[in-house]
Amino acid sequence: MDLILESKKADKTIVEVEGVGGYYTWSSTQFPVLSQKKLAAGLLVLQPRGFALPHYADSSKIAYVIEGECIAGLISAEDSKEEVIKIQKGDSVPVPIGATSWWYNGGDTRLSIIFLGESGEYTPGEFCYFFLTGTAGILNGFSNELLAQTFHMTKTESEKLKKGQSSLNIIIKISEGIKTPDPCNSGIHKLVFNLDGAKPSVEVKNGGLLTSVSVRDLPLLGDIGLSANRVVLEGGGMLGPLFTADSSVHLSYVTKGSGRVVIVGLFGKVVLDTKVDEGNLFFVPKFFPFVVEADEGGIEFFSVKTSSKQIYGALSGGPKSVFVAESPSILEASLNMTPDFTKSFKSKIAKGAVIAPP
């Protein structure tokens, strides 16, 4: 099966309400690699007091706050306990399969959250949401009689409950008279990792930085089988070449700036060489080495990897480079170069890092 790797911006509007917000996705027709590899992406935008109704999904994902701040509620299906957390720019939040969540912009500026992860079997290439309430809510599927018996209400009460859902979109604006629950910081360390403020895994002067979150940082990632990283490249800086060394794939969203992505596939064939900018989504297949080069203004992107561990093979990258690890004689024969050139080649790579300055 041929993979069409061309980067894309969100082309499908699920909902958009003026003054409230919207939810946008990448359709499998425009970006077929998502359905082929059972991945998904969604962009949630909420204006102040905007609220995404409670829902659960058929797959796991990681949320990353691009801008703004948010009050979010997460309810695990295992213990039915609601964790209310306050998250801000740079925070990443794992959302497990089947967990109920809601998202509220309690600030005074726009909130943008990108969700990246795996898709389920119902709609490959897209997150499939089950809303508890609203016009698209599951309550609408049951008769008044069933609701009355299930929720121990009178039939009149069940009719009133069901009628109340008819005017609710999946994104609404909460009136000022409703007080949302206060966040509790006790559970935040289990659920949230700030990629913008954490110590980078790699940092190169004038080049950029790479910050990762894996199962070592958030044990919950081990349950959902995902990890994430954030890359910031200064103008002319370069990441790579890297490849995923554990059969996982790599889905990235450009949060700021622009640059170039080059991916090399089997037999040294270039499978993608394209410009990307803010709002673009791009995919890297397993084992395919890739490079991201920043334009003059730099580039920032958030990536999710379909493994709870951050295991990469590096061609550059200093001491971790496979070229540095190879025996000198093996490298000399493989490169068809003189001993002096091979020694210089290894020495120069060993001094570098996986991020290179211009």
Side-chain angles (χ1 to χ4, degrees):
M1 180 184 293
D2 292 334
L3 295 177
I4 300 175
L5 302 181
E6 183 181 357
S7 64
K8 295 284 185 181
K9 293 188 176 182
D11 65 301
K12 187 175 180 180
T13 300
I14 302 300
V15 62
E16 190 172 60
V17 181
E18 186 176 355
V20 180
Y23 184 72
Y24 313 91
T25 66
W26 286 255
S27 66
S28 55
T29 54
Q30 291 295 315
F31 205 12
V33 71
L34 293 179
S35 58
Q36 291 168 358
K37 296 300 178 182
K38 291 188 175 180
L39 300 171
L43 177 65
L44 175 65
V45 177
L46 292 176
Q47 301 298 337
R49 304 198 70 82
F51 177 65
L53 295 182
H55 57 274
Y56 58 90
D58 65 341
S59 57
S60 299
K61 53 190 174 290
I62 299 179
Y64 174 76
V65 183
I66 301 171
E67 60 178 344
E69 60 181 42
C70 176
I71 303 295
L74 296 168
I75 304 173
S76 168
E78 293 183 2
D79 57 20
S80 297
K81 177 185 176 183
E82 184 181 58
E83 297 277 3
V84 180
I85 55 176
K86 183 176 182 178
I87 54 177
Q88 60 188 350
K89 182 182 183 304
D91 280 339
S92 57
V93 184
V95 184
I97 182 173
T100 298
S101 68
W102 51 261
W103 309 81
Y104 172 64
N105 182 355
D108 53 11
T109 60
R110 190 173 85 154
L111 168 71
S112 298
I113 301 176
I114 183 69
F115 297 90
L116 301 180
E118 297 178 300
S119 66
E121 61 181 78
Y122 293 116
T123 312
E126 298 180 35
F127 298 124
C128 189
Y129 293 110
F130 296 82
F131 284 85
L132 303 189
T133 61
T135 54
I138 56 180
L139 290 179
N140 290 316
F142 297 104
S143 67
N144 292 326
E145 291 77 14
L146 286 175
L147 291 178
Q149 183 175 352
T150 300
F151 297 131
H152 310 289
M153 299 185 299
T154 65
K155 187 178 178 182
T156 302
E157 289 172 330
S158 69
E159 290 174 350
K160 182 179 179 180
L161 175 67
K162 198 167 183 179
K163 185 178 180 181
Q165 311 308 307
S166 61
S167 60
L168 291 178
N169 213 322
I170 60 176
I171 291 176
I172 64 172
K173 192 167 188 173
I174 290 185
S175 64
E176 295 185 6
I178 296 179
K179 186 182 184 304
T180 57
D182 294 324
C184 179
N185 292 329
S186 62
I188 199 166
H189 67 282
K190 301 181 298 182
L191 300 170
V192 180
F193 186 88
N194 189 279
L195 283 166
D196 288 19
K199 182 180 179 180
S201 307
V202 179
E203 187 170 14
V204 176
K205 185 179 180 180
N206 299 324
L209 57 86
L210 182 155
T211 310
S212 301
V213 56
S214 66
V215 65
R216 293 186 302 175
D217 308 296
L218 287 178
L220 182 58
L221 291 174
D223 296 333
I224 68 175
L226 299 173
S227 60
N229 57 59
R230 171 182 179 254
V231 174
V232 178
L233 296 177
E234 297 184 31
M238 183 182 296
L239 171 74
L242 287 173
F243 61 91
T244 57
D246 56 359
S247 78
S248 61
V249 297
H250 201 269
L251 187 63
S252 301
Y253 176 83
V254 180
T255 58
K256 186 178 180 181
S258 61
R260 176 189 179 198
V261 176
V262 180
I263 304 174
V264 176
L266 296 174
F267 309 111
K269 179 183 177 182
V270 176
V271 295
L272 183 70
D273 186 345
T274 189
K275 178 180 174 64
V276 295
D277 55 19
E278 184 176 332
N280 271 123
L281 193 71
F282 64 93
F283 166 81
V284 181
K286 57 185 179 182
F287 303 119
F288 282 28
F290 67 97
V291 164
V292 179
E293 181 183 19
D295 285 342
E296 184 178 350
I299 188 172
E300 299 180 18
F301 58 95
F302 169 72
S303 305
V304 160
K305 188 170 177 283
T306 56
S307 168
S308 61
K309 299 178 180 179
Q310 287 281 318
I311 301 176
Y312 289 94
L315 301 181
S316 60
K320 294 186 177 182
S321 167
V322 294
F323 287 129
V324 173
E326 283 184 353
S327 303
S329 59
I330 296 299
L331 188 59
E332 178 185 333
S334 302
L335 293 175
N336 191 28
M337 290 291 145
T338 65
D340 287 344
F341 183 93
T342 302
K343 182 178 180 180
S344 174
F345 180 67
K346 284 173 66 77
S347 175
K348 289 181 178 181
I349 294 177
K351 294 176 182 177
V354 73
I355 292 176

